[in-house]
Amino acid sequence: ITMAKGDQCKKGLLELLKEGPVVGDGSMCMTLEKRGYCRAGPWTPEAVLLYPDAVKQLLREYMRAGADVLQTPCFYCSDGMFKKGSKSGEPISYTTDAINEAACRIAHEISKEGKDVLVCGGLSPVLSYFREKNMEKARAEFDSQLDVFIKYKVDFVLAEFFAYIEELEICIDVMKRSKMPIACTMRIGPLGDSNGVSVEECAVRMARTGADLIGINCLYDFDTCLKTLKRMRDALDKEGLKTHLICQPLGWRCPEVEHTLIGYLDLPETPLGSLEPRQVTRFEVHAFARAAYDLGVRYIGGCCGMEPHHIRAIAQELAPERKRNPPVEDMCPPLGYLQLSGLSNIKKKDNKQYWIEQKPGSGRPFSPALSSTEG
Ligand SMILES: [Zn+2]
C-alpha cells in the first residue's frame, strides 16, 4: 500500500497486477492535435502549460473509461525534442522541466477525482542517444526526466517508445534510483529493434533488467502486436522468466507495415491524411483485449489513435477478471440500453455476438483495404 496525497491509501501497481489485469490510458498528443491543442510534427506536449483544461479533460475521459493509470502527459519532453518543436524565430517561453512538472500536477489532480487511480511518470527516448550515441549524456537526460517524477511522487515509472534495447537498458538502470515499480515498452514489431536485435532477445534483456512489466507500444496494430507479444512470451518462458507483459498498441489497423521498422509512420496517409478510415472499432478492441489477456498480457492500454471509448472497451471486456466495470455507470453494461431505443432495428442488436462478427465498412466504394506506401 502506498500513501497517496492526503490521508487516503491506494493500492500500488504491483498489488493491482496481483488482483487482475490493469487498464492503461490512451492516446495523448495525436488526440490533442485533432482537438486543436498540439502541433502535428513535433508532437511535443506544451499543451500542459498552454491549454491545461484540454489536457485535464482528456485524462478525465480515460479515467471515466476505466483506466487504472494516468500517464503524465509529457511524452517526448526532453531538451532536443522540445526545441525542435518551436517554429524558427518564435521565442521559447517554457522549459522542459516546467512542462514535466505541469504534467505531473495535472495527472495527480485528475487521478484524485477517481478511486485508486495511479499516476505513471513516462520517460521517452533521447536525441543524445539517437543522434550522438553519447551514453553519458543520455544517462544525464534520463536522470533529469526522472528527478521530476521523484519530486512529484508518481506511483510508478514507464519508459516507452524505445527503438533500441541498448538505450532502454541505460534508461532502466537510471530508473532504479526511484525505487518505484518499473514498466518499459519498446516500439518494436517482428523485425526487432532498430539495431537488428530480435524480438526474443529484446524480451529477455528487458526482463533481465528486473523491470516489473515489459512489452511494446505504438507503431503497430493489434494483429501485429499480438504476434510480437506471442514471441516475447515464448522467449521468456524458454528462459523461465515470469515478468508480466504490457501492451499499448495503435488504434488504427495497418497490417501492411508489419515488416517495417517505423510501423504506421511509413503509411502515406500519416499523420494528416486519413487515418480515420483505419480506426479500430470498440468491438475489435474487445477481441484484442481478450486475445492479449489470453497470451498473458496483464497491463493493456493504448497509444496513438486509442480514444476513450476504446479504453472503455478494454475495461468492459476484462470486467469479469477485474471484478469491476468502468466508472461510467450509465454506460455499463453497454448493450442492455439498446433495448430502450424506440427503433426496433436497434433493439434487436442487443447481442454482443452481432457486434463481434460484424465486418465494418468504410463507406467509400473506391477505398482500398490497404494504401500504397508510395503515396
Ligand atoms: Zn503512439
Side-chain angles (χ1 to χ4, degrees):
I1 304 282
T2 56
M3 290 302 291
K5 298 283 164 309
D7 37 29
Q8 97 202 85
C9 270
K10 67 177 174 184
K11 291 168 190 162
L13 175 67
L14 304 181
E15 286 151 286
L16 279 187
L17 284 168
K18 264 185 213 135
E19 288 179 4
V22 172
V23 176
D25 64 6
S27 169
M28 184 52 61
C29 284
M30 294 293 271
T31 299
L32 287 177
E33 189 274 334
K34 284 187 197 152
R35 296 180 181 190
Y37 303 108
C38 178
R39 287 176 186 152
W43 308 111
T44 46
E46 47 272 54
V48 295
L49 292 173
L50 300 175
Y51 313 105
D53 289 343
V55 178
K56 287 177 192 177
Q57 179 58 27
L58 183 53
L59 286 182
R60 189 176 284 125
E61 288 173 24
Y62 289 127
M63 193 173 67
R64 280 168 52 82
D68 298 308
V69 176
L70 299 181
Q71 287 185 224
T72 52
C74 52
F75 178 69
Y76 255 163
C77 191
S78 59
D79 286 327
M81 293 311 295
F82 187 60
K83 286 192 185 111
K84 209 174 76 177
S86 75
K87 281 189 284 188
S88 58
E90 190 179 272
I92 296 171
S93 54
Y94 24 75
T95 63
T96 53
D97 273 356
I99 288 181
N100 285 332
E101 294 194 3
C104 287
R105 283 195 299 270
I106 286 173
H108 271 305
E109 179 188 329
I110 302 306
S111 75
K112 278 186 267 177
E113 293 177 8
K115 189 177 173 293
D116 283 345
V117 176
L118 302 180
V119 172
C120 163
L123 290 92
S124 333
V126 290
L127 288 174
S128 44
Y129 176 85
F130 179 65
R131 292 220 181 117
E132 306 167 38
K133 293 284 178 281
N134 184 332
M135 309 301 172
E136 282 317 301
K137 210 167 151 191
R139 185 174 284 274
E141 283 201 68
F142 293 136
D143 253 319
S144 70
Q145 290 183 28
L146 187 69
D147 281 341
V148 177
F149 301 136
I150 293 173
K151 178 178 168 189
Y152 280 85
K153 296 188 172 63
V154 299
D155 298 295
F156 71 100
V157 279
L158 162 69
E160 64 174 355
F161 201 65
F162 280 71
Y164 303 90
I165 182 68
E166 181 185 43
E167 183 186 12
L168 180 57
E169 285 169 333
I170 296 170
C171 185
I172 294 173
D173 195 46
V174 169
M175 289 158 86
K176 286 178 178 168
R177 176 166 64 85
S178 71
K179 309 274 186 245
M180 295 174 193
I182 293 175
C184 59
T185 52
M186 297 187 71
R187 59 187 208 234
I188 57 172
L191 293 185
D193 95 346
S194 293
N195 278 333
V197 179
S198 72
V199 168
E200 287 78 6
E201 185 180 335
C202 286
V204 170
R205 283 171 65 176
M206 275 194 271
R208 294 221 162 110
T209 63
D212 301 290
L213 274 169
I214 68 165
I216 50 176
N217 82 303
C218 206
L219 293 198
Y220 304 96
D221 68 12
F222 293 165
D223 290 344
T224 301
C225 285
L226 288 170
K227 290 178 197 171
T228 308
L229 290 163
K230 171 84 171 76
R231 286 174 56 186
M232 294 178 92
R233 182 78 269 159
D234 289 347
L236 295 175
D237 287 348
K238 214 171 141 198
E239 297 293 320
L241 295 161
K242 303 274 179 233
T243 316
H244 286 302
L245 289 175
I246 169 175
C247 185
Q248 306 214 80
L250 285 185
W252 301 295
R253 308 209 71 132
C254 47
E256 71 265 53
V257 296
E258 179 166 307
H259 293 285
T260 69
L261 285 173
I262 56 169
Y264 85 108
L265 301 176
D266 206 32
L267 292 173
E269 62 263 55
T270 300
L272 302 179
S274 42
L275 285 165
E276 284 83 357
R278 293 172 176 269
Q279 186 86 63
V280 295
T281 70
R282 65 185 82 188
F283 289 97
E284 289 171 332
V285 178
H286 274 268
F288 166 75
R290 183 52 55 194
Y293 181 79
D294 289 347
L295 266 180
V297 183
R298 289 297 176 266
Y299 184 121
I300 306 174
C303 203
C304 306
M306 285 284 274
E307 305 274 338
H309 67 294
H310 298 124
I311 299 302
R312 197 170 73 222
I314 300 171
Q316 284 172 337
E317 176 63 30
L318 298 176
E321 286 79 10
R322 291 159 54 75
K323 299 175 194 69
R324 62 188 184 280
N325 268 307
V328 197
E329 288 188 15
D330 48 357
M331 299 291 298
C332 300
L335 292 175
Y337 294 104
L338 297 184
Q339 287 291 341
L340 302 179
S341 168
L343 294 170
S344 58
N345 68 332
I346 299 283
K347 280 186 192 202
K348 69 184 182 200
K349 294 176 183 172
D350 176 11
N351 167 358
K352 188 174 169 187
Q353 210 50 33
Y354 165 84
W355 295 101
I356 290 277
E357 286 168 2
Q358 199 181 65
K359 289 186 180 58
S362 75
R364 297 170 181 81
F366 303 105
S367 173
L370 307 179
S371 57
S372 148
T373 43
E374 271 78 60

